[in-house]
């Protein structure tokens, strides 16, 4: 019947996470305990499937594939045939892949709904890119040492329950670089 009961908790505020086979996980950031009659509805799972290719077009077995969006990151590796399948909650994702020094990103964002499978996502690997810059104080232009710079996929849908998923970070040096 889907009924559940968690006992022995100290009264207060908790984060609730529910997972079930063939359904998307659900996280509720703030649940007050004690409580009763809480109803948690789960969407059907969504899948993103595709292939990772080397620069010359051959399939890339063992590539690390990441789907980032909705405040979470999902990861898998490609099979011996270069294929992958990711089980994700419904939403919008940027799908990337890495194999040794090669990286790549799917041409379009992956948009999946409950119970949906997005097939034939293709990622072509190539040379990795980088971003460099300087962190300075506004007004004085003095360099700021020890600043943390985080990179997250742009224009992605995020939830209020979680920060955007970080894909890279760096700390500025004494000269702000």
């Amino acid at each position: 019947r889907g009924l559940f009961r968690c006992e022995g908790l100290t009264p207060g505020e908790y984060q609730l996470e529910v997972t079930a086979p063939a359904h998307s996980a659900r996280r509720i950031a703030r649940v007050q305990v004690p409580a009763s009659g809480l109803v948690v509805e789960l969407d059907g799972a969504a899948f993103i499937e595709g292939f990772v290719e080397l620069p010359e077009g051959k399939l890339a077995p063992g590539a690390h594939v990441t789907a980032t969006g909705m405040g979470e990151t999902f990861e898998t590796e490609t099979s011996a045939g270069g294929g992958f399948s990711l089980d994700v909650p419904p939403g919008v994702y940027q799908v990337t892949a890495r194999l040794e020094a090669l990286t790549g990103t799917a041409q379009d964002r992956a948009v999946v709904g409950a119970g949906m499978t997005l097939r034939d996502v293709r990622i072509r690997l190539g040379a990795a890119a980088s971003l460099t810059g300087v962190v300075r104080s506004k007004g004085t232009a003095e360099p700021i040492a020890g600043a943390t710079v985080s990179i997250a996929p742009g224009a992605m849908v995020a939830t209020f329950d979680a920060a955007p998923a970080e894909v890279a970070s760096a700390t500025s040096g004494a000269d702000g670089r």
Side-chain angles (χ1 to χ4, degrees):
R1 291 190 171 150
L3 298 175
F4 66 91
R5 182 177 182 88
C6 298
E7 296 178 328
L9 301 172
T10 302
E13 187 175 277
Y14 291 85
Q15 176 175 287
L16 178 77
E17 185 166 340
V18 180
T19 60
H23 290 82
S24 293
R26 173 88 189 273
R27 181 179 298 133
I28 302 173
R30 301 173 76 190
V31 173
Q32 291 294 327
V33 172
S36 64
L38 178 65
V39 175
V40 181
E41 294 181 339
L42 302 181
D43 287 323
F47 295 90
I48 301 170
E49 298 179 348
F51 297 91
V52 177
E53 301 170 343
L54 295 168
E56 65 275 4
K58 293 181 182 178
L59 294 175
H64 185 80
V65 180
T66 304
T68 307
M70 309 306 295
E72 297 185 70
T73 299
F74 300 89
E75 302 172 300
T76 191
E77 284 198 5
T78 56
S79 66
F84 67 88
S85 180
L86 289 160
D87 181 349
V88 298
V92 180
Y93 298 90
Q94 181 175 13
V95 185
T96 61
R98 175 178 294 278
L99 181 64
E100 298 170 1
L102 301 173
T103 65
T105 301
Q107 185 173 8
D108 298 315
R109 282 185 240 149
V111 180
V112 289
M116 179 179 164
T117 300
L118 178 62
R119 291 184 169 84
D120 205 30
V121 173
R122 296 276 174 165
I123 301 171
R124 177 70 62 100
L125 298 175
S130 62
L131 174 68
T132 60
V134 178
V135 180
R136 296 180 186 214
S137 178
K138 186 174 182 176
T140 66
E142 291 292 317
I144 298 175
T148 301
V149 179
S150 298
I151 305 292
M156 297 301 294
V157 175
T159 67
F160 295 107
D161 295 344
E166 181 181 284
V167 295
S169 68
T171 303
S172 63
D175 60 355
R177 296 184 187 280

